[in-house]
Amino acid sequence: MIGRSTKAAALLAAVLVLPQAARASELDRRAWVQLGAWRPALDSQLRVDAGSGQGTPVDFERDLGLDDGKAVGAVLIGACWAERWRFEFEYFELTRGARQHLTDRDLVVGEITYPAQVEITSEFDMKVHRAGVGYAFLREPDGEAGVTGGLHVTTFRAAFEGLGSFDGSLLAVQKVRRQETVPLPTVGVFGTWRVSPHWLLSGRADLFQLKYDHHRGRLFNLQGHLMVRVTPNVSLGAGYRLTDYRLDADDTDWRGRIELRYKGPQLMLEAGF
């Protein structure tokens, strides 16, 4: 009886320990879910043109008092297959609003002119979806490097409300709303290096510049992370990310320019299987 109990205990220990050891030896797990929290420094500018001419470049943080930093949550899911291939999808959103008096200049937003000293209520919201497929052309037990291709889709929504004039009319409450969804294809590189059995250092860079029809855009995204595995299936990490984005549009739906930069440290919790 004791012998059987000992064998059963040893078998149970093997079932529990061997899968953990196998997972610990893998550079990348087959599927993962990552929750991120970060507080980026924000710099956002918008210009809304009209048929009669260009609007005023609006700096949302300086001119309209929007927060230049705000906590943001993000979710990322990923999967690997055939050892060298991977897929990732990420989503996050950012909403801001403020009410402030204009100080030293008029703002021309489309056909509306908001004179200096009036109070403006403004909003600037953003939703980001990023999806990509990667291939590791170099894969070793302690590291890998590869290339990625994907789509970075950003939806912007801007709103202005305050006393303004339309085509020289008397002052009245005027509302301006603009929304644009911009899909930009991206190409990039990624790399991962196992610093020690429990520590991983990873990074990626994406870049694209596009000109088509009445649109011109560019996107640069840089990320670096240091992860520590606290259990066979759970990792904690810290990192830094920078995104620089610009779009010029000149079509019937929207004319103008959007410029956005956000950068800052990030914390992550990842579960892998």
Side-chain angles (χ1 to χ4, degrees):
M1 180 69 69
I2 296 177
R4 291 182 179 179
S5 299
T6 303
K7 291 181 180 179
L11 180 60
L12 179 59
V15 171
L16 294 175
V17 173
L18 288 179
Q20 294 179 358
R23 292 192 196 101
S25 66
E26 294 176 355
L27 185 63
D28 288 320
R29 288 163 282 187
R30 297 306 174 189
W32 58 93
V33 178
Q34 185 185 102
L35 300 179
W38 56 310
R39 186 179 177 86
L42 301 163
D43 183 10
S44 48
Q45 299 182 30
L46 174 69
R47 194 190 74 227
V48 181
D49 299 338
S52 57
Q54 286 190 353
T56 305
V58 179
D59 187 308
F60 278 92
E61 294 78 29
R62 184 191 62 196
D63 297 329
L64 300 176
L66 268 67
D67 292 336
D68 58 5
K70 185 176 181 179
V72 179
V75 59
L76 180 146
I77 60 175
C80 289
W81 73 95
E83 293 188 1
R84 294 179 180 267
W85 290 92
R86 63 169 57 196
F87 170 81
E88 283 189 342
F89 173 80
E90 182 183 28
Y91 172 79
F92 67 89
E93 63 180 59
L94 175 65
T95 60
R96 292 179 294 161
R99 179 180 298 174
Q100 179 167 294
H101 286 85
L102 300 179
T103 54
D104 57 352
R105 61 172 179 160
D106 298 348
L107 291 186
V108 179
V109 183
E111 301 284 356
I112 306 300
T113 299
Y114 297 102
Q117 305 305 320
V118 303
E119 186 178 67
I120 297 292
T121 299
S122 61
E123 298 177 1
F124 188 75
D125 303 335
M126 178 181 68
K127 295 182 179 180
V128 176
H129 301 77
R130 180 181 65 83
V133 175
Y135 177 76
F137 56 80
L138 175 64
R139 186 172 178 85
E140 301 291 340
D142 290 329
E144 66 175 0
V147 295
T148 64
L151 197 63
H152 191 285
V153 182
T154 306
T155 298
F156 298 95
R157 189 183 72 85
F160 308 84
E161 181 176 350
L163 288 176
S165 62
F166 174 78
D167 196 22
S169 63
L170 295 176
L171 288 179
V173 175
Q174 303 285 356
K175 297 180 181 180
V176 178
R177 297 182 183 274
R178 289 293 186 273
Q179 180 169 312
E180 183 81 359
T181 297
V182 184
L184 284 180
T186 61
V187 294
V189 295
F190 70 91
T192 305
W193 174 44
R194 187 192 304 280
V195 181
S196 73
H198 295 284
W199 291 85
L200 286 177
L201 184 64
S202 64
R204 64 176 296 139
D206 302 286
L207 175 66
F208 203 80
Q209 188 164 347
L210 181 67
K211 181 178 181 180
Y212 69 96
D213 199 12
H214 299 285
H215 296 79
R216 298 189 308 275
R218 72 156 192 252
L219 171 70
F220 175 68
N221 177 58
L222 181 66
Q223 298 185 40
H225 302 132
L226 179 64
M227 306 289 294
V228 57
R229 182 170 295 176
V230 294
T231 75
N233 297 101
V234 177
S235 298
L236 299 175
Y240 189 89
R241 70 186 296 173
L242 162 69
T243 299
D244 192 310
Y245 181 99
R246 189 178 81 180
L247 173 72
D248 292 277
D250 184 15
D251 59 20
T252 56
D253 294 330
W254 185 73
R255 293 186 178 96
R257 170 179 287 185
I258 295 173
E259 293 185 86
L260 178 66
R261 170 178 287 199
Y262 48 91
K263 58 182 179 179
Q266 184 178 22
L267 299 177
M268 292 87 66
L269 170 65
E270 182 177 290
F273 311 96

